[in-house]
């Protein structure tokens, strides 16, 4: 009985053992398969993560080196965290590129404006909202350098080489006034300021951004000192000329002035009367003579060979006297050059004297004297001439 059981048991046991062995092998195979899958998955996962991280690093390197052009990362834009990071990074890079492009465009525009301002002939100065001078163009620098000594007479801390970066308050007697003016400025504001012997016209304009926010103020400077001095000099000269003209107008000598182009620019009252009286007689020799059209006429039209007169007048540096026949009249002219204070030739002045009557008397007396010398005492001086002598 025992034997029988034993052999059965032993068969059963060996069967069981077989089954256990088979199950174990199966388990081992499953575990092996799972471990392999696990290892494979880890390897694949690492590959994906590494690729993703490599790409992220490359994008950072691109940004770092200023390359904002996005790479093609479509194959990496998965829904997992790495893919999301890459997508966000690429978006960020694109936005950076957009901002940088726009900034570069603005910088280019500003640079063009600055370059134009730098060389503009208007003197431009810019102050920021803290009232610090942040810009001066070349012309403004030169103007301030030229005016430095004069400005120092009134503002002794003024230094043309130390304007940039400093406050405008340094130069204002009551800085609160300028600050108020500038803070309230909405459009161009013109004023005239005097510093030492200098006078400046200044035009202040607010600088506003697209949203109307104040960025600072720009000031255009115009040094009026020289112009005002010239205006004063011109007024002085005009007053002097007017006095001389008034004097010339009323003197008894008969005066005519021609400019360097030999155009008659002036004749005084005495000459006007003299030539008006002689007009008919003059016309007998010069039929183009018209007293009403003398001013503005070139003297060449009265001269047979104009180059002769031009040669005489060209190098004239002292009085030149001559006698001319104008139709029935004989005129003595004394021509003098006219020079400016600086020695520049301005034209010629001519004093005219109608010698017709005087010559007639001289001739008459000559003929009476010649007759008497020849023993003829019967010749008498003409009545008309006697009257002239009585007047003398
Ligand atoms: C961007 C720079 C500057 C701005 C925005 C500015 C602005 C002004 C303004 C708005 C006025 C008032 C004019 C009026 O009330 O009619 C003024 C006056 C004056 N500024 Fe300036 N200024 C600047 C730079 C300077 C500099 C560099 C000097 C030095 C020479 C100066 C000297 C004066 C003087 C002497 C007056 C008149 C008298 C006074 O108020 O002290 N300014 N400025
Ligand atoms: C500012 C104005 C004038 C100047 C500077 C001027 C100058 C002269 C000079 C330098 C001569 C040369 C004399 C010589 O060679 O001895 C001359 C001659 C003469 N001038 Fe004039 N003259 C002026 C206006 C006139 C006018 C208004 C007339 C006419 C009315 C005139 C008619 C003559 C004539 C007829 C002669 C003689 C020689 C010739 O016909 O060319 N001149 N003048």
């Amino acid at each position: 009985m025992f034997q029988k059981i034993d052999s059965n048991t032993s068969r059963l046991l060996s069967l069981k053992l077989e089954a256990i062995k088979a199950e174990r092998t199966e388990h081992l195979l499953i575990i092996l398969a799972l471990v392999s899958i696990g290892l494979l998955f880890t390897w694949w996962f690492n590959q994906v993560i590494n690729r993703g991280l490599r790409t992220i690093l490359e994008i950072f390197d691109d940004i770092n080196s200023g390359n904002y052009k996005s790479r093609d990362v479509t194959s990496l834009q998965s829904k997992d965290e790495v893919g999301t990071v890459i997508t966000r990074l690429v978006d960020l890079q694109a936005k950076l590129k957009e901002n940088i492009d726009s900034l570069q465009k603005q910088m280019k525009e500003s640079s063009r404006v600055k370059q134009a301002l730098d060389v503009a002939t208007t003197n431009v100065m810019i102050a920021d909202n803290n009232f610090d001078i942040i810009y001066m163009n070349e012309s403004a620098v030169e103007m301030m350098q030229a005016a430095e000594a004069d400005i120092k007479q009134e503002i002794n801390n003024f230094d043309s080489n130390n304007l940039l970066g400093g406050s405008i308050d340094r130069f204002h007697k009551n800085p609160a006034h300028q600050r108020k003016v500038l803070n309230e400025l909405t459009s161009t504001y013109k004023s005239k300021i005097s510093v030492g012997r200098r006078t400046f016209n200044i035009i202040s304009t607010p600088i506003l951004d697209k949203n109307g926010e104040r960025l600072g103020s720009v000031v255009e400077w115009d040094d009026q000192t020289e112009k005002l001095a010239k205006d004063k000099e011109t007024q002085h000269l005009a007053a002097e000329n007017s006095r001389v003209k008034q004097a010339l107008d009323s003197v008894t000598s008969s005066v005519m002035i021609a400019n360097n182009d030999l155009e008659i620019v002036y004749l005084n009252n005495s000459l006007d009367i003299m030539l008006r009286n002689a007009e008919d007689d003059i016309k007998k020799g010069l039929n183009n003579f018209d007293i009403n059209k003398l001013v503005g006429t070139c003297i060449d039209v009265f001269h047979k060979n104009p180059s002769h007169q031009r040669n005489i007048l060209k190098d004239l540096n002292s009085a030149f006297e001559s006698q001319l026949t104008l139709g029935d009249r004989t005129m003595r002219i004394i021509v003098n050059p006219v020079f400016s204070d600086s020695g520049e030739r301005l034209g010629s002045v001519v004093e005219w004297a109608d010698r017709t009557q005087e010559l007639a008397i001289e001739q008459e007396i000559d003929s009476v004297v010649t007759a008497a010398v020849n023993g003829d005492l019967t010749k008498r001086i003409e009545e008309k001439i006697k009257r002239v002598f009585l007047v003398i």
Side-chain angles (χ1 to χ4, degrees):
M1 170 95 177
F2 261 115
Q3 247 179 352
K4 212 171 179 184
I5 291 169
D6 270 345
S7 70
N8 279 346
T9 309
S10 145
R11 217 172 50 243
L12 267 172
L13 278 174
S14 71
L15 276 173
K16 188 79 183 161
L17 205 66
E18 282 302 305
I20 289 170
K21 266 186 188 167
E23 199 178 336
R24 200 187 58 188
T25 312
E26 197 180 310
H27 282 169
L28 275 174
L29 280 173
I30 289 171
I31 288 169
L32 200 70
L34 282 175
V35 168
S36 304
I37 289 170
L39 283 174
L40 213 69
F41 181 75
T42 310
W43 174 83
W44 171 82
F45 192 70
N46 270 347
Q47 281 301 99
V48 170
I49 297 267
N50 278 345
R51 234 178 100 207
L53 285 177
R54 256 203 320 276
T55 309
I56 291 172
L57 285 176
E58 279 167 6
I59 297 175
F60 273 124
D61 281 348
D62 283 352
I63 294 176
N64 233 355
S65 60
N67 177 11
Y68 299 97
K69 203 164 169 268
S70 305
R71 314 167 154 251
D72 181 10
V73 288
T74 23
S75 62
L76 293 163
Q77 282 175 307
S78 51
K79 288 224 165 80
D80 58 30
E81 278 75 4
V82 176
T84 314
V85 169
I86 291 176
T87 308
R88 298 262 164 86
L89 201 56
V90 168
D91 287 352
L92 181 75
Q93 193 184 22
K95 275 207 187 92
L96 272 176
K97 181 173 170 14
E98 214 178 282
N99 287 348
I100 281 171
D101 283 354
S102 147
L103 265 178
Q104 271 174 350
K105 203 173 146 220
Q106 280 176 28
M107 267 167 67
K108 256 189 204 155
E109 271 165 24
S110 304
S111 152
R112 265 201 304 275
V113 173
K114 187 183 169 293
Q115 274 171 30
L117 260 189
D118 280 351
V119 294
T121 48
T122 317
N123 310 308
V124 180
M125 200 179 261
I126 297 176
D128 63 14
N129 279 340
N130 294 325
F131 305 99
D132 288 334
I133 300 172
I134 53 164
Y135 174 77
M136 287 171 76
N137 71 352
E138 287 161 20
S139 180
V141 172
E142 279 165 22
M143 183 200 78
M144 287 300 182
Q145 279 169 349
E148 178 157 3
D150 292 328
I151 295 175
K152 264 182 179 273
Q153 299 285 316
E154 192 172 313
I155 306 174
N156 44 27
N157 63 344
F158 182 84
D159 176 356
S160 64
N161 293 318
N162 197 18
L163 291 175
L164 270 182
S167 170
I168 62 170
D169 290 352
R170 294 173 288 173
F171 314 116
H172 296 142
K173 287 189 199 94
N174 173 20
H177 166 67
Q178 275 78 6
R179 283 178 172 246
K180 186 166 183 292
V181 169
L182 296 171
N183 277 335
E184 288 170 3
L185 219 59
T186 51
S187 61
T188 297
Y189 171 78
K190 293 182 180 174
S191 52
K192 180 175 271 189
I193 62 172
S194 295
V195 198
R197 66 163 204 100
R198 299 265 171 172
T199 307
F200 299 97
N201 278 346
I202 59 171
I203 305 176
S204 313
T205 313
I207 310 173
L208 308 172
D209 70 7
K210 276 191 277 184
N211 309 317
E213 211 165 291
R214 189 184 303 274
L215 302 175
S217 313
V218 55
V219 177
E220 291 164 56
W221 292 76
D222 184 8
D223 190 342
Q224 290 277 304
T225 318
E226 294 290 306
K227 188 184 168 290
L228 290 177
K230 264 199 191 124
D231 286 354
K232 209 167 164 194
E233 170 79 14
T234 311
Q235 276 168 12
H236 179 73
L237 264 176
E240 207 167 81
N241 283 347
S242 156
R243 272 197 302 277
V244 172
K245 188 180 167 296
Q246 275 170 34
L248 265 187
D249 278 347
S250 48
V251 291
T252 48
S253 314
S254 302
V255 181
M256 180 180 276
I257 298 174
N259 64 18
N260 281 340
D261 295 330
L262 302 193
E263 259 172 28
I264 298 170
V265 290
Y266 172 78
L267 54 147
N268 72 350
N269 292 335
S270 168
L271 180 60
D272 186 87
I273 294 167
M274 185 183 99
L275 293 178
R276 222 168 262 284
N277 286 335
E279 185 165 22
D280 289 343
D281 286 345
I282 296 173
K283 269 182 184 286
K284 288 179 191 160
L286 294 167
N287 52 17
N288 59 351
F289 182 81
D290 179 348
I291 179 71
N292 294 319
K293 290 187 181 152
L294 269 187
V295 172
T297 300
C298 175
I299 62 172
D300 286 350
V301 302
F302 305 119
H303 295 145
K304 286 191 205 88
N305 174 18
S307 58
H308 168 65
Q309 277 77 1
R310 283 185 174 258
N311 278 336
I312 294 173
L313 296 173
K314 188 163 52 95
D315 300 320
L316 203 62
N317 49 30
S318 59
F320 171 88
E321 198 171 334
S322 186
Q323 190 154 293
L324 337 162
T325 304
L326 301 181
D328 282 353
R329 300 281 179 141
T330 306
M331 303 280 180
R332 191 196 60 216
I333 57 168
I334 303 171
V335 188
N336 268 293
V338 182
F339 295 103
S340 71
D341 287 347
S342 54
E344 186 194 350
R345 178 78 182 263
L346 299 175
S348 308
V349 56
V350 184
E351 291 169 64
W352 293 74
D354 189 342
R355 295 206 62 224
T356 318
Q357 214 174 30
E358 216 178 301
L359 281 176
I361 296 168
E362 271 175 27
Q363 271 165 18
E364 183 64 20
I365 293 171
D366 267 2
S367 71
V368 172
V369 173
T370 311
V373 169
N374 293 333
D376 177 4
L377 297 175
T378 61
K379 213 158 172 72
R380 294 280 178 268
I381 295 176
E382 261 183 44
E383 264 316 297
K384 189 169 71 180
I385 294 170
K386 268 193 219 157
R387 277 206 305 278
V388 174
F389 269 103
L390 284 172
V391 172
I392 296 168

